[in-house]
Amino acid sequence: MKVSLFVTCLVDQFRPEVGLATVEVLRRAGCDVSFDPGQTCCGQPAYNAGYRADARAAARQTIQSLEESEAIVLPSGSCTAMTRHWPELFADDPQWRERAEAIAPKCHELSSFLVSVLGCTELGARFPGRVSWHDACHGLRELGIKSEPRALLATVDGLELIEHENSERCCGFGGTFSVKFPELSVAMLDRKLEGLQSTGVDAIASSDVSCLMQIEGRLARLGSRLRALHLAEILAGGAS
Amino acid sequence: MSHPAQDHSANLESFPENARRALNDSQLRGALRHATGVIDERRGQAVERVACWQELRERAKTLKAATLERLDHWLELFERNAIARGTQVHWARDAAEANAIVARLAADAGARTLVKSKSMTTEEIGLNQHLEELGHRVVETDLGEYIIQLAGETPSHIIVPAIHKTRAEIGELFHRTLGVKDSKDPKELTAIARERLREEFARADMGISGANFAIAETGSFLVLENEGNARLCTSLPRVHVALIGIEKVIPRLADLEVFLRLLPRSGTGQHLTSYQTLFSGPRAAGREGPEELHVILLDNGRSAMLSDSLSRQALACIRCGACLNVCPVYGQIGGHAYASVYPGPIGSVITPMLQGVEQAHHLPFASSLCGACRDVCPVGIDLPALLLKLRSKVRQGSAGSGDREQRRAFRLWSLAMSGPRRYGLLLRALRLARPLLERPGARSRLARWVPPLAAWTAAREFRPPAGRSFRELWRDQEAKDS
């Protein structure tokens, strides 16, 4: 299957290795992966901060770059959820609204693409360690993604998935929220991470780099040995 | 730590400060965590047992939307039918009008002591303060409200007004204000309050209540409660006054079949509250009950919310408080930090709608947009969508312009995001900043000039941009492959 990668701006700039891992995983699943450098950002940072015109500027650029694709895969539930907001973002612009409506259903978060579109869970991955999953809010509550990453992790050789009672609790990132109310943002994260250390996990994994930056930034400050990993990094691990 | 009574409108500006203060109050956070956790767990269990929960939510949402579509019609029908049953109906455009009506009724009744059952709408108009300034004694009779009144505070939760208080704090408060022995035993404390309140019920000249639903086809209204205090408030005194927001009207008595299954479960995790009282007029000749029944229908900004399909959605709220209990923000800071009558997600939505976004401009941003509130809302209000809408409204108004640096930063950002060339320039600029971001010393110097970086790094490490972006790595690979 021909797949176009929407790598997302955060992965592009801060965690490019997640992008490479996503390509690797998609190829292993039999996809022909392309990347169009015309893409920039889904527009969510501005959208969530209330700057809709700025959000439209970014979204237009990315829509234009990707709309010819058959299927578009994103290593992010949050940015995928944003593509579902595109039609509403262009509510007053019939031409762009139509383009947004056409592209939105073609955009897929990585785990749901692998499991629900390709029907593929076995990728020959190997990851020795105990991992706890963080259900990133937008993937979970806007896209309904819950079982897909778990189905994928279940087939990873050597990986033990440790369910944590706070897996659905928000990490406190929330875009500009994280710097507008930093103490609150960190307090929310600390509440989430509570009890995680005692479960003896080696890593906390998720499908959103934004949450992972929040989590790893705090863990590093606390001197924790826990790693924060993207699903793609785990799935790309081991011999192919 | 005590939470002095707050003048709401003046403090709306200070949300960031209030939140910070709340975060340092470990007693508050402990109490909140325990109580919100318990209530939400009960809610989850109660909801689980209703197989058709999602269907009920849909029906409630549809019913509310249809009612709000023709709110004027249902309100007039309610008025007609209420009058036919002997109820006196008053209309209040705003808080001042509503307060004046209650004050006039109190004066007419020669009321010295007024007893109240729990009502957020009376909180909204500042009724107690108004009546007290006129020399009346106002006594709250819901246990939580009674505690709050003794403490000189405002409710910090829609359903559980004293949720921020521990048992020990309440015991100490009773000891200090009522002169009873210090106790931590909820049974003892409740008994003390009950004894005091019995005297108040007996001597009260007027009872004031709110309402959960007003039923148009019968002209009656329903009050839900667990303590029996609302029944005493509305049956012993000679006059009963009910303050009801205009959004509380539903068309038919049969509609309660939906709402009575949703509200108690969502609010307290109960299948049904201990008491549900339907009021349909003053006492009939030879029967017991108040001689006069007055209903005040309050607008106070609600009709303005009808004009827009999004804000109209927020009028569907049945004030269950479930969104507060699941909100990770509310769970950390409690209701007082919001400095609005209605706190939590729904408060952050309706306060700017009722009082204006200029005043309440912080509140729509007091959320990580996690969406937990939308999932539990029994009437399916899309709270994150409403918060987003309000955020954009704040930016269009003058309150948002206070954030000029951010405005400028997003302008630049959108320029960079609207073309691959410009985006490349941004990447290069980030790359130039890398040495500064990688060395802690240089980073803290840079943070002085970049407030968001300072905010981030106060308790978190910052990951600098990668040496090579994904697009560069992809290009390298393509070049190698060809």
Side-chain angles (χ1 to χ4, degrees):
Chain A
M1 186 173 192
K2 277 194 168 170
V3 165
S4 190
L5 175 68
F6 177 8
V7 79
T8 76
C9 64
L10 281 183
V11 170
D12 192 18
Q13 296 164 30
F14 291 92
R15 295 283 294 261
E17 65 277 15
V18 170
L20 295 177
T22 305
V23 174
E24 164 70 18
V25 169
L26 287 169
R27 283 185 178 150
R28 260 195 235 169
C31 296
D32 178 4
V33 186
S34 65
F35 172 80
D36 186 297
Q39 61 181 268
T40 57
C41 169
C42 64
Q44 187 173 191
Y47 182 71
N48 284 4
Y51 300 111
R52 290 171 64 95
D54 294 333
R56 277 192 291 269
R60 270 196 293 266
Q61 179 60 37
T62 298
I63 292 172
Q64 196 171 293
S65 151
L66 297 171
E67 63 192 338
E68 300 299 326
S69 318
E70 265 175 64
I72 300 149
V73 174
L74 301 83
S76 160
S78 193
C79 307
T80 308
M82 182 63 205
T83 68
R84 310 290 194 261
H85 289 269
W86 279 344
E88 181 273 320
L89 181 61
F90 291 106
D92 301 327
D93 184 339
Q95 234 178 341
W96 276 100
R97 192 181 58 219
E98 205 175 298
R99 291 168 81 170
E101 277 165 359
I103 193 172
K106 293 198 285 184
C107 296
H108 305 274
E109 182 275 331
L110 176 64
S111 72
S112 72
F113 180 75
L114 291 169
V115 176
S116 308
V117 179
L118 298 183
C120 164
T121 50
E122 184 63 62
L123 289 151
R126 182 171 161 69
F127 183 93
R130 292 151 70 90
V131 174
S132 182
W133 183 255
H134 162 56
D135 291 291
C137 296
H138 295 165
L140 174 71
R141 300 198 182 86
E142 294 197 27
L143 305 174
I145 295 169
K146 173 94 184 166
S147 62
E148 295 88 339
R150 287 173 174 79
L152 289 160
L153 291 174
T155 68
V156 175
D157 186 28
L159 184 144
E160 189 187 347
L161 180 66
I162 308 287
E163 286 294 353
H164 183 236
E165 58 169 341
N166 289 337
S167 70
E168 290 189 3
R169 188 173 273 278
C170 176
C171 74
F173 175 70
T176 51
F177 176 84
S178 64
V179 288
K180 197 174 164 77
F181 305 112
E183 299 91 349
L184 186 48
S185 167
V186 170
M188 286 159 70
L189 175 60
D190 286 350
R191 174 81 177 85
K192 178 181 181 74
L193 295 177
E194 241 174 64
L196 193 67
Q197 306 269 19
S198 65
T199 60
V201 295
D202 305 297
I204 180 159
S206 188
S207 52
D208 268 286
V209 157
S210 48
C211 307
L212 290 171
M213 283 171 79
Q214 160 93 343
I215 294 168
E216 70 169 7
R218 183 63 179 156
L219 289 174
R221 178 62 58 92
L222 295 173
S224 166
R225 48 157 204 94
L226 224 69
R227 296 161 70 200
L229 293 171
H230 191 277
L231 174 69
E233 293 177 291
I234 291 176
L235 296 180
S240 47
Chain B
M1 193 186 273
S2 70
H3 301 262
Q6 298 176 14
D7 172 9
H8 288 120
S9 55
N11 286 332
L12 276 174
E13 274 294 333
S14 50
F15 176 80
E17 234 171 86
N18 299 345
R20 227 168 286 138
R21 201 172 334 120
L23 286 173
N24 287 321
D25 188 341
S26 55
Q27 202 167 16
L28 164 75
R29 290 174 73 194
L32 268 174
R33 178 184 176 144
H34 174 72
T36 54
V38 167
I39 303 170
D40 188 53
E41 200 187 325
R42 271 193 225 142
R43 186 199 63 83
Q45 289 164 353
V47 166
E48 233 167 64
R49 276 184 233 143
V50 184
C52 57
W53 186 256
Q54 295 309 330
E55 188 198 315
L56 277 176
R57 287 177 82 202
E58 271 309 310
R59 283 175 64 198
K61 188 179 176 173
T62 311
L63 250 166
K64 274 286 183 182
T67 311
L68 292 166
E69 192 73 38
R70 294 177 65 208
L71 188 59
D72 52 344
H73 165 76
W74 298 116
L75 282 169
E76 280 167 14
L77 187 63
F78 171 81
E79 182 188 32
R80 260 203 315 280
N81 289 325
I83 290 172
R85 288 174 181 271
T87 303
Q88 300 180 52
V89 179
H90 313 259
W91 298 82
R93 200 164 313 169
D94 53 25
E97 278 191 20
N99 280 327
I101 295 167
V102 182
R104 200 185 65 229
L105 294 172
D108 288 352
R112 209 186 93 70
T113 297
L114 297 93
V115 283
K116 278 182 70 195
S117 65
K118 188 173 158 19
S119 152
M120 286 307 293
T121 316
T122 62
E123 295 288 339
E124 182 186 323
I125 64 169
L127 180 64
N128 291 13
Q129 197 189 343
H130 184 77
L131 290 172
E132 279 163 5
E133 277 166 14
L134 293 172
H136 299 283
R137 264 187 87 236
V138 185
V139 182
E140 294 287 352
T141 65
D142 169 88
L143 181 57
E145 291 283 350
Y146 182 65
I147 292 166
I148 292 301
Q149 191 179 33
L150 286 179
E153 298 179 16
T154 53
S156 71
H157 189 288
I158 292 174
I159 296 289
V160 196
I163 195 169
H164 57 286
K165 289 211 175 296
T166 60
R167 269 185 268 169
E169 279 178 292
I170 295 164
E172 195 274 327
L173 173 74
F174 278 21
H175 172 64
R176 187 160 44 81
T177 55
L178 303 174
V180 295
K181 78 173 172 72
D182 207 341
S183 166
K184 278 182 199 166
D185 179 18
K187 268 197 183 134
E188 265 180 49
L189 293 169
T190 309
I192 293 166
R194 179 170 293 161
E195 197 187 306
R196 298 290 171 126
L197 288 170
R198 289 281 155 166
E199 298 164 18
E200 303 292 357
F201 288 126
R203 77 164 72 118
D205 312 294
M206 184 188 267
I208 297 173
S209 77
N212 296 97
F213 301 97
I215 298 119
E217 72 171 357
T218 57
S220 36
F221 58 93
L222 183 76
V223 174
L224 303 180
E225 56 148 343
N226 285 312
E227 298 168 18
N229 65 302
R231 282 201 174 162
L232 288 168
C233 272
T234 55
S235 53
L236 290 177
R238 202 178 60 76
V239 182
H240 171 194
V241 179
L243 181 71
I244 307 178
I246 54 171
E247 84 285 11
K248 293 273 167 85
V249 71
I250 55 173
R252 289 157 293 269
L253 197 61
D255 298 332
L256 286 176
E257 182 252 331
V258 177
F259 293 111
L260 270 184
R261 282 201 275 174
L262 291 169
L263 181 51
R265 285 182 171 87
S266 299
T268 50
Q270 291 171 286
H271 299 274
L272 202 55
T273 43
S274 306
Y275 302 95
Q276 29 282 321
T277 312
L278 195 63
F279 296 92
S280 307
R283 75 171 177 213
R287 295 285 183 84
E288 291 185 336
E291 289 166 28
E292 288 175 33
L293 175 58
H294 297 266
V295 164
I296 303 170
L297 293 166
L298 177 74
D299 184 345
N300 208 28
R302 287 164 174 79
S303 58
M305 285 168 66
L306 282 170
S307 61
D308 173 292
S309 66
L310 260 171
S311 57
R312 181 183 292 185
Q313 226 193 99
L315 283 179
C317 174
I318 54 173
R319 306 280 190 269
C320 71
C323 62
L324 278 59
N325 302 327
V326 293
C327 177
V329 172
Y330 180 91
Q332 292 295 333
I333 59 174
H336 285 152
Y338 293 79
S340 58
V341 175
Y342 304 103
I346 189 65
S348 296
V349 164
I350 59 178
T351 307
M353 288 175 177
L354 292 173
Q355 296 187 22
V357 286
E358 300 289 313
Q359 268 205 33
H361 65 97
H362 279 306
L363 296 189
F365 294 91
S367 162
S368 63
L369 300 176
C370 81
C373 50
R374 177 182 45 214
D375 281 6
V376 297
C377 178
V379 291
I381 301 174
D382 191 346
L383 289 150
L386 293 168
L387 289 169
L388 279 166
K389 175 96 178 169
L390 285 164
R391 289 180 181 192
S392 130
K393 221 171 168 182
V394 169
R395 299 306 184 195
Q396 286 157 11
S398 58
S401 63
D403 235 343
R404 238 177 254 136
E405 283 80 26
Q406 188 176 306
R407 167 76 283 200
R408 235 176 277 148
F410 270 110
R411 243 356 272 146
L412 269 171
W413 175 89
S414 79
L415 277 175
M417 294 298 153
S418 40
R421 272 246 183 84
R422 297 182 203 156
Y423 182 86
L425 279 174
L426 174 77
L427 287 186
R428 245 169 288 162
L430 279 173
R431 196 76 41 76
L432 285 173
R434 234 171 89 84
L436 288 170
L437 289 165
E438 276 184 327
R439 279 197 310 274
R443 185 164 56 218
S444 58
R445 274 197 300 280
L446 182 66
R448 239 174 281 159
W449 301 99
V450 188
L453 185 61
W456 181 276
T457 53
R460 290 161 290 199
E461 296 302 327
F462 180 73
R463 172 192 278 265
R468 288 183 78 66
S469 65
F470 172 81
R471 61 190 59 215
E472 288 165 311
L473 294 171
W474 175 271
R475 206 164 47 216
D476 294 352
Q477 212 173 28
E478 296 266 277
K480 214 164 54 186
D481 291 349
S482 63

